[in-house]
Every structure is written in structure tokens, then in C-alpha cells.
Amino acid sequence: MELERVKGNTWVLKSWELIPLYQVDDTRCILLDTGTVDQRAELEAALDQAGLTPVAILGSHAHIDHMGSYGYFQKTRGAVLALTLGEAGQLFSPLGLQLQYYNLSLGAFGQYPELGTAPCLPDRILLPGEREIEIGGAQFEILPTPGHTIDHISVRTPDDVLYLADAMMT
């Protein structure tokens, strides 16, 4: 993954999917999503090469191409995970994920390593109506963008960069 500056301290790791991050200081960053399990080794290598430790994750939603390493970074790097109430509810248990991925049987979850990460409990739950969060030493604006998922959010970084995840707006 190539690390590219977007603006100020907001960066993006470029792969087949973009993984944004906010750099708090010379050694710490906040991930805005984590990509898939398949991207994990490449993501870790890019962070290590840049000398960055993810101290927090601000998750946009609980689809497998965004939440693949939420729990992993929480457990291995001590990253604080923040999710909205609706998305946290889906990751609370395999049954919660089954409600989102209704077209898959619980037995099929083994084909998707990301789905086997439940339960993945956030350290901080964003409640309905919350429009800001301080996490990992930085303040972010939260913009609710439901529709793609029940409690999908977009995030504005302190650099005034808006991360939409899978949302499109007019």
C-alpha cells in the first residue's frame, strides 16, 4: 500500500480500496475503517514502514470490506474502536451479522473471515444525535448517512476532509 497525503494530517493508504487515516503525531494515527482481512498484512506493513501505530479506529459501517480488521487492531495494537450504535449491534454477535448478511447461512460465514470476528465490541458507541467525537487525540465531525447500512456515517477530519466510505451524495 502506498501512503499518500490528502490534506494536512489526513492520509490515504492506496490499494484496490482506499483506507484513510488521520495522523495525530509522528507515531500515532487513527484509522477510518480497516479494509478486508486480505488487506491486513499489507495495511500493517504500510503502517509499520511509516512508523505509525493505530491508536483508534473510527468505523463508518460494518460491511466486510471496511470492518475486516476492527477487532484485530483492537486486540493486537490496543486501538480504541468507535462505532455507531446500529453498526455496533451488528458486530455484537454472529446473529447480529446474520441479520445484515441475511442471504448467507451461519454455516457460510467461514468463507468470509471478517464475519468470523464477531463478537467485536466497540470501546466507544456513538449514540443517535452525536455529531462529534474526540478519539485518539483528535476531534472528528460525524455526519449520519444511513441507507447503505442502517447506521452508516461519514466522517469529517480536523483537516476538513470528508470520508464518505461507500456513500454517494448530490
PDB file of all heavy atoms in Angstrom, residues 60 143-155 163-165 167 169:
ATOM      1  N   SER A  60     -16.877   3.439   9.767  1.00  0.00           N
ATOM      2  CA  SER A  60     -18.006   4.012   9.045  1.00  0.00           C
ATOM      3  C   SER A  60     -19.215   3.083   9.037  1.00  0.00           C
ATOM      4  O   SER A  60     -20.349   3.544   9.150  1.00  0.00           O
ATOM      5  CB  SER A  60     -17.613   4.350   7.607  1.00  0.00           C
ATOM      6  OG  SER A  60     -17.320   3.165   6.873  1.00  0.00           O
ATOM      7  N   LEU A 143     -21.271  12.731  10.399  1.00  0.00           N
ATOM      8  CA  LEU A 143     -22.429  13.034   9.571  1.00  0.00           C
ATOM      9  C   LEU A 143     -23.182  11.737   9.306  1.00  0.00           C
ATOM     10  O   LEU A 143     -22.650  10.849   8.635  1.00  0.00           O
ATOM     11  CB  LEU A 143     -22.005  13.663   8.247  1.00  0.00           C
ATOM     12  CG  LEU A 143     -21.386  15.043   8.379  1.00  0.00           C
ATOM     13  CD1 LEU A 143     -19.885  14.940   8.432  1.00  0.00           C
ATOM     14  CD2 LEU A 143     -21.844  15.911   7.249  1.00  0.00           C
ATOM     15  N   PRO A 144     -24.385  11.583   9.830  1.00  0.00           N
ATOM     16  CA  PRO A 144     -25.161  10.367   9.576  1.00  0.00           C
ATOM     17  C   PRO A 144     -25.497  10.261   8.079  1.00  0.00           C
ATOM     18  O   PRO A 144     -25.981  11.220   7.492  1.00  0.00           O
ATOM     19  CB  PRO A 144     -26.430  10.555  10.402  1.00  0.00           C
ATOM     20  CG  PRO A 144     -26.134  11.681  11.339  1.00  0.00           C
ATOM     21  CD  PRO A 144     -25.079  12.515  10.703  1.00  0.00           C
ATOM     22  N   THR A 145     -25.204   9.121   7.502  1.00  0.00           N
ATOM     23  CA  THR A 145     -25.529   8.856   6.095  1.00  0.00           C
ATOM     24  C   THR A 145     -26.138   7.460   5.976  1.00  0.00           C
ATOM     25  O   THR A 145     -25.597   6.591   5.300  1.00  0.00           O
ATOM     26  CB  THR A 145     -24.274   9.002   5.201  1.00  0.00           C
ATOM     27  OG1 THR A 145     -23.177   8.292   5.796  1.00  0.00           O
ATOM     28  CG2 THR A 145     -23.880  10.452   5.018  1.00  0.00           C
ATOM     29  N   PRO A 146     -27.274   7.227   6.659  1.00  0.00           N
ATOM     30  CA  PRO A 146     -27.889   5.896   6.624  1.00  0.00           C
ATOM     31  C   PRO A 146     -28.422   5.583   5.231  1.00  0.00           C
ATOM     32  O   PRO A 146     -28.668   6.477   4.436  1.00  0.00           O
ATOM     33  CB  PRO A 146     -29.023   6.013   7.638  1.00  0.00           C
ATOM     34  CG  PRO A 146     -29.384   7.460   7.614  1.00  0.00           C
ATOM     35  CD  PRO A 146     -28.080   8.191   7.384  1.00  0.00           C
ATOM     36  N   GLY A 147     -28.587   4.326   4.991  1.00  0.00           N
ATOM     37  CA  GLY A 147     -29.122   3.859   3.719  1.00  0.00           C
ATOM     38  C   GLY A 147     -28.285   2.710   3.196  1.00  0.00           C
ATOM     39  O   GLY A 147     -28.806   1.632   2.942  1.00  0.00           O
ATOM     40  N   HIS A 148     -27.004   2.929   3.062  1.00  0.00           N
ATOM     41  CA  HIS A 148     -26.113   1.846   2.639  1.00  0.00           C
ATOM     42  C   HIS A 148     -26.116   0.763   3.710  1.00  0.00           C
ATOM     43  O   HIS A 148     -26.134  -0.428   3.414  1.00  0.00           O
ATOM     44  CB  HIS A 148     -24.720   2.399   2.392  1.00  0.00           C
ATOM     45  CG  HIS A 148     -23.736   1.400   1.907  1.00  0.00           C
ATOM     46  ND1 HIS A 148     -23.913   0.685   0.740  1.00  0.00           N
ATOM     47  CD2 HIS A 148     -22.552   0.986   2.423  1.00  0.00           C
ATOM     48  CE1 HIS A 148     -22.890  -0.127   0.570  1.00  0.00           C
ATOM     49  NE2 HIS A 148     -22.051   0.030   1.583  1.00  0.00           N
ATOM     50  N   THR A 149     -26.052   1.192   4.968  1.00  0.00           N
ATOM     51  CA  THR A 149     -26.300   0.327   6.113  1.00  0.00           C
ATOM     52  C   THR A 149     -27.178   1.121   7.071  1.00  0.00           C
ATOM     53  O   THR A 149     -27.378   2.323   6.901  1.00  0.00           O
ATOM     54  CB  THR A 149     -25.006  -0.116   6.847  1.00  0.00           C
ATOM     55  OG1 THR A 149     -24.340   1.029   7.368  1.00  0.00           O
ATOM     56  CG2 THR A 149     -24.087  -0.906   5.932  1.00  0.00           C
ATOM     57  N   ILE A 150     -27.654   0.461   8.089  1.00  0.00           N
ATOM     58  CA  ILE A 150     -28.636   1.072   8.986  1.00  0.00           C
ATOM     59  C   ILE A 150     -28.123   2.317   9.702  1.00  0.00           C
ATOM     60  O   ILE A 150     -28.851   3.252   9.948  1.00  0.00           O
ATOM     61  CB  ILE A 150     -29.164   0.038  10.002  1.00  0.00           C
ATOM     62  CG1 ILE A 150     -30.321   0.634  10.784  1.00  0.00           C
ATOM     63  CG2 ILE A 150     -28.089  -0.407  10.955  1.00  0.00           C
ATOM     64  CD1 ILE A 150     -31.525  -0.193  10.831  1.00  0.00           C
ATOM     65  N   ASP A 151     -26.836   2.353  10.033  1.00  0.00           N
ATOM     66  CA  ASP A 151     -26.307   3.458  10.828  1.00  0.00           C
ATOM     67  C   ASP A 151     -24.975   3.963  10.264  1.00  0.00           C
ATOM     68  O   ASP A 151     -24.093   4.379  11.004  1.00  0.00           O
ATOM     69  CB  ASP A 151     -26.146   2.990  12.281  1.00  0.00           C
ATOM     70  CG  ASP A 151     -26.434   4.072  13.303  1.00  0.00           C
ATOM     71  OD1 ASP A 151     -26.800   5.197  12.914  1.00  0.00           O
ATOM     72  OD2 ASP A 151     -26.282   3.790  14.507  1.00  0.00           O
ATOM     73  N   HIS A 152     -24.852   3.898   8.951  1.00  0.00           N
ATOM     74  CA  HIS A 152     -23.658   4.342   8.235  1.00  0.00           C
ATOM     75  C   HIS A 152     -23.367   5.807   8.565  1.00  0.00           C
ATOM     76  O   HIS A 152     -24.280   6.618   8.707  1.00  0.00           O
ATOM     77  CB  HIS A 152     -23.914   4.194   6.731  1.00  0.00           C
ATOM     78  CG  HIS A 152     -22.756   4.496   5.851  1.00  0.00           C
ATOM     79  ND1 HIS A 152     -22.331   5.770   5.566  1.00  0.00           N
ATOM     80  CD2 HIS A 152     -21.935   3.669   5.158  1.00  0.00           C
ATOM     81  CE1 HIS A 152     -21.306   5.727   4.734  1.00  0.00           C
ATOM     82  NE2 HIS A 152     -21.044   4.458   4.477  1.00  0.00           N
ATOM     83  N   ILE A 153     -22.074   6.116   8.719  1.00  0.00           N
ATOM     84  CA  ILE A 153     -21.686   7.510   8.943  1.00  0.00           C
ATOM     85  C   ILE A 153     -20.602   7.925   7.951  1.00  0.00           C
ATOM     86  O   ILE A 153     -19.873   7.091   7.416  1.00  0.00           O
ATOM     87  CB  ILE A 153     -21.161   7.771  10.373  1.00  0.00           C
ATOM     88  CG1 ILE A 153     -19.941   6.891  10.684  1.00  0.00           C
ATOM     89  CG2 ILE A 153     -22.263   7.625  11.396  1.00  0.00           C
ATOM     90  CD1 ILE A 153     -19.209   7.272  11.970  1.00  0.00           C
ATOM     91  N   SER A 154     -20.533   9.215   7.741  1.00  0.00           N
ATOM     92  CA  SER A 154     -19.407   9.832   7.065  1.00  0.00           C
ATOM     93  C   SER A 154     -18.668  10.640   8.123  1.00  0.00           C
ATOM     94  O   SER A 154     -19.266  11.052   9.118  1.00  0.00           O
ATOM     95  CB  SER A 154     -19.891  10.727   5.927  1.00  0.00           C
ATOM     96  OG  SER A 154     -20.528   9.942   4.931  1.00  0.00           O
ATOM     97  N   VAL A 155     -17.375  10.841   7.912  1.00  0.00           N
ATOM     98  CA  VAL A 155     -16.528  11.464   8.927  1.00  0.00           C
ATOM     99  C   VAL A 155     -15.762  12.635   8.313  1.00  0.00           C
ATOM    100  O   VAL A 155     -15.134  12.476   7.261  1.00  0.00           O
ATOM    101  CB  VAL A 155     -15.526  10.426   9.494  1.00  0.00           C
ATOM    102  CG1 VAL A 155     -14.572  11.075  10.482  1.00  0.00           C
ATOM    103  CG2 VAL A 155     -16.258   9.248  10.124  1.00  0.00           C
ATOM    104  N   TYR A 163     -14.734  11.892   4.632  1.00  0.00           N
ATOM    105  CA  TYR A 163     -14.653  10.485   4.248  1.00  0.00           C
ATOM    106  C   TYR A 163     -16.072   9.945   4.194  1.00  0.00           C
ATOM    107  O   TYR A 163     -16.774   9.921   5.188  1.00  0.00           O
ATOM    108  CB  TYR A 163     -13.809   9.698   5.256  1.00  0.00           C
ATOM    109  CG  TYR A 163     -13.838   8.203   5.057  1.00  0.00           C
ATOM    110  CD1 TYR A 163     -13.551   7.631   3.823  1.00  0.00           C
ATOM    111  CD2 TYR A 163     -14.159   7.359   6.107  1.00  0.00           C
ATOM    112  CE1 TYR A 163     -13.576   6.260   3.643  1.00  0.00           C
ATOM    113  CE2 TYR A 163     -14.184   5.976   5.942  1.00  0.00           C
ATOM    114  CZ  TYR A 163     -13.893   5.432   4.705  1.00  0.00           C
ATOM    115  OH  TYR A 163     -13.929   4.076   4.531  1.00  0.00           O
ATOM    116  N   LEU A 164     -16.495   9.494   3.014  1.00  0.00           N
ATOM    117  CA  LEU A 164     -17.859   9.029   2.816  1.00  0.00           C
ATOM    118  C   LEU A 164     -18.004   7.516   2.861  1.00  0.00           C
ATOM    119  O   LEU A 164     -19.120   7.019   2.824  1.00  0.00           O
ATOM    120  CB  LEU A 164     -18.399   9.539   1.473  1.00  0.00           C
ATOM    121  CG  LEU A 164     -18.430  11.050   1.299  1.00  0.00           C
ATOM    122  CD1 LEU A 164     -18.803  11.411  -0.136  1.00  0.00           C
ATOM    123  CD2 LEU A 164     -19.385  11.682   2.268  1.00  0.00           C
ATOM    124  N   ALA A 165     -16.910   6.785   2.851  1.00  0.00           N
ATOM    125  CA  ALA A 165     -16.947   5.321   2.757  1.00  0.00           C
ATOM    126  C   ALA A 165     -17.682   4.936   1.486  1.00  0.00           C
ATOM    127  O   ALA A 165     -17.269   5.368   0.421  1.00  0.00           O
ATOM    128  CB  ALA A 165     -17.531   4.692   4.020  1.00  0.00           C
ATOM    129  N   ALA A 167     -20.663   5.827   0.484  1.00  0.00           N
ATOM    130  CA  ALA A 167     -21.809   6.708   0.218  1.00  0.00           C
ATOM    131  C   ALA A 167     -21.545   7.583  -1.000  1.00  0.00           C
ATOM    132  O   ALA A 167     -20.413   7.938  -1.301  1.00  0.00           O
ATOM    133  CB  ALA A 167     -22.082   7.590   1.431  1.00  0.00           C
ATOM    134  N   MET A 169     -23.322  11.198  -2.690  1.00  0.00           N
ATOM    135  CA  MET A 169     -24.281  12.255  -2.374  1.00  0.00           C
ATOM    136  C   MET A 169     -24.361  13.249  -3.507  1.00  0.00           C
ATOM    137  O   MET A 169     -23.418  13.422  -4.263  1.00  0.00           O
ATOM    138  CB  MET A 169     -23.864  12.987  -1.094  1.00  0.00           C
ATOM    139  CG  MET A 169     -23.846  12.118   0.098  1.00  0.00           C
ATOM    140  SD  MET A 169     -23.390  13.092   1.517  1.00  0.00           S
ATOM    141  CE  MET A 169     -23.284  11.837   2.727  1.00  0.00           C
TER     142      MET A 169
END
